[in-house]
């Protein structure tokens, strides 16, 4: 009976690999690896000679189109791994899992290291509710828009990845976009020189700028946005003024409150008055009664 195992591998310290992960990698028929060279080095360290095939971001669609059927035809047990951490979490693996499951292949998790969980655990923040975003956009406008959307989502904690060469630019954008944000920035998690910087976004930026080794090692950042207050103007909805007025009335607003809501969105008072007249006329026709001011 074919099976697909999603196997987590160490993010730095090789001692973090689990006995079950080693047993799975040794006992499976084939390993689908993000980078076969990286995985082969790991396997050699533990004297495992299971054959590997590549399964990276550029060929996963192609691999997933053929490997699951091969698993069924040849009754293969396959393990999918990435260079470090848990597959399918900001890494290849999800497409292969999807296609295998669609063909009825049993997919099993072999849990273990993940930078996201490790960074959350040492942040000191209230992590009962969080969202994971992986790598954020590189362009400044897109990055600021994404940071704003993250805050507006209502989830107080966000986890993101960043490369050492862009981490300072990211934190600088957080300072500019999310005033009041606190950050726990972890670098080289589980490795010899593991380091976590905590504080306000401004304090973390200052420490990164003062650290000549800041551009070494991958970062996982935990953002505590619970203290952030945004002053973002609300865009005018696409609906007509009449529809917006009617919606406000349905929500319990009186005519004055409904009109003020529209002017706050940028509508001109004359246009609001005409929309109000149209809605009143519509309601009169529907009910046969005159609408009066509140």
């Amino acid at each position: 009976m074919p099976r697909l195992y999603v196997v987590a591998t160490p993010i730095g310290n090789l001692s973090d690999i689990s006995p079950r992960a080693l047993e799975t990698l040794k006992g499976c028929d084939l390993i689908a690896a993000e980078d076969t060279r990286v995985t082969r080095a790991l396997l050699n360290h533990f004297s495992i000679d299971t054959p590997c095939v590549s399964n990276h971001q550029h060929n996963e669609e192609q691999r997933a189109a053929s490997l699951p059927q091969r698993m069924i035809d040849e009754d293969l047990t396959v393990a999918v791994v990435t260079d470090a951490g848990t597959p399918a979490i900001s890494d290849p693996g999800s497409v292969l899992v999807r296609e295998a499951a669609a063909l009825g292949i049993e997919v099993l998790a072999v849990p273990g290291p993940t930078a996201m969980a490790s960074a959350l655990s040492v942040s000191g923040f209230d992590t009962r509710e969080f969202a994971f975003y992986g790598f954020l956009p590189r362009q400044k406008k897109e990055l600021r828009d994404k940071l704003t959307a993250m805050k507006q989502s209502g989830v107080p904690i966000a986890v993101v990845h960043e490369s050492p060469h862009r981490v300072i630019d990211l934190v600088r954008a957080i300072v500019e976009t999310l005033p009041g944000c606190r950050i726990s920035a972890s670098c080289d998690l589980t490795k010899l020189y593991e380091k976590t910087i905590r504080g306000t976004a401004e304090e973390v930026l200052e420490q990164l700028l003062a650290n000549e080794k800041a551009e070494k090692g991958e970062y996982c950042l935990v953002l505590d946005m619970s203290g952030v207050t945004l002053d973002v103007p609300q865009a005018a909805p696409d609906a007509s003024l009449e529809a917006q007025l009617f919606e406000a009335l349905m929500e319990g607003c009186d005519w004055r409150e409904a009109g003020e809501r529209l002017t706050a969105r940028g509508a001109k008072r004359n246009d609001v008055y005409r929309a109000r007249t149209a809605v009143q006329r519509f309601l009169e026709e529907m009910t046969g009664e005159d609408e009066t001011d509140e």
Side-chain angles (χ1 to χ4, degrees):
M1 177 179 178
R3 285 180 174 175
L4 178 65
Y5 288 94
V6 183
V7 182
T9 56
I11 59 177
N13 193 320
L14 293 181
S15 299
D16 289 337
I17 196 165
S18 71
R20 184 179 173 218
L22 291 175
E23 179 183 354
T24 302
L25 295 175
K26 184 177 295 186
C28 67
D29 299 303
L30 187 67
I31 297 173
E34 179 179 9
D35 187 327
T36 55
R37 296 165 298 180
V38 173
T39 297
R40 181 52 58 193
L42 174 69
L43 298 176
N44 289 341
H45 180 83
F46 292 104
S47 302
I48 298 173
D49 59 4
T50 306
C52 298
V53 294
S54 63
N55 185 72
H56 50 72
Q57 62 175 337
H58 301 296
N59 79 339
E60 187 174 14
E61 290 284 351
Q62 179 182 359
R63 182 70 66 193
S66 59
L67 183 55
Q69 187 59 54
R70 179 186 169 192
M71 292 172 64
I72 294 174
D73 294 341
E74 301 179 25
D75 193 21
L76 298 179
T77 295
V78 174
V80 57
V81 300
T82 56
D83 293 347
T86 302
I89 300 181
S90 198
D91 269 329
S94 60
V95 179
L96 184 56
V97 168
R98 182 191 70 206
E99 295 304 313
L103 289 180
I105 295 173
E106 186 176 18
V107 180
L108 300 171
V110 181
T114 169
M116 172 184 65
S118 300
L120 283 165
S121 70
V122 299
S123 68
F125 298 149
D126 183 349
T127 59
R128 288 174 293 180
E129 184 180 11
F130 67 89
F132 175 67
Y133 291 92
F135 288 92
L136 300 182
R138 298 186 183 184
Q139 298 301 317
K140 189 171 183 178
K141 182 182 184 304
E142 287 80 359
L143 174 57
R144 292 174 66 98
D145 289 345
K146 186 64 176 181
L147 290 171
T148 300
M150 287 160 56
K151 168 57 183 175
Q152 292 176 328
S153 73
V155 180
I157 301 293
V159 186
V160 302
H161 289 322
E162 191 51 276
S163 71
H165 303 295
R166 294 195 298 270
V167 67
I168 289 177
D169 289 338
L170 171 59
V171 176
R172 184 176 286 118
I174 293 171
V175 169
E176 297 170 353
T177 310
L178 302 176
C181 182
R182 296 183 61 80
I183 298 176
S184 174
S186 295
C187 177
D188 280 334
L189 282 162
T190 78
K191 297 180 182 179
L192 180 61
Y193 297 105
E194 175 180 340
K195 184 178 181 65
T196 296
I197 304 171
R198 305 174 186 83
T200 65
E202 292 81 0
E203 291 169 342
V204 170
L205 177 60
E206 183 178 352
Q207 292 184 64
L208 289 173
L209 290 171
N211 181 9
E212 61 182 17
K213 296 182 178 180
E215 292 191 354
K216 297 183 183 295
E218 298 296 322
Y219 282 84
C220 190
L221 286 73
V222 182
L223 314 184
D224 180 0
M225 303 178 291
S226 59
V228 173
T229 301
L230 295 179
D231 184 17
V232 180
Q234 185 176 11
D238 293 332
S240 67
L241 293 181
E242 290 82 0
Q244 293 177 54
L245 271 176
F246 190 79
E247 179 183 16
L249 294 172
M250 294 298 293
E251 292 176 358
C253 295
D254 60 33
W255 286 106
R256 179 182 56 79
E257 293 169 338
E260 288 177 351
R261 176 184 293 190
L262 268 61
T263 55
R265 293 174 177 173
K268 296 180 180 179
R269 291 190 178 277
N270 288 342
D271 292 336
V272 173
Y273 177 79
R274 283 191 289 269
R276 170 175 170 169
T277 301
V279 173
Q280 286 177 324
R281 186 179 301 114
F282 171 77
L283 292 176
E284 289 171 4
E285 292 173 353
M286 291 293 293
T287 63
E289 299 176 359
D290 290 338
E291 290 289 325
T292 57
D293 293 348
E294 295 289 340

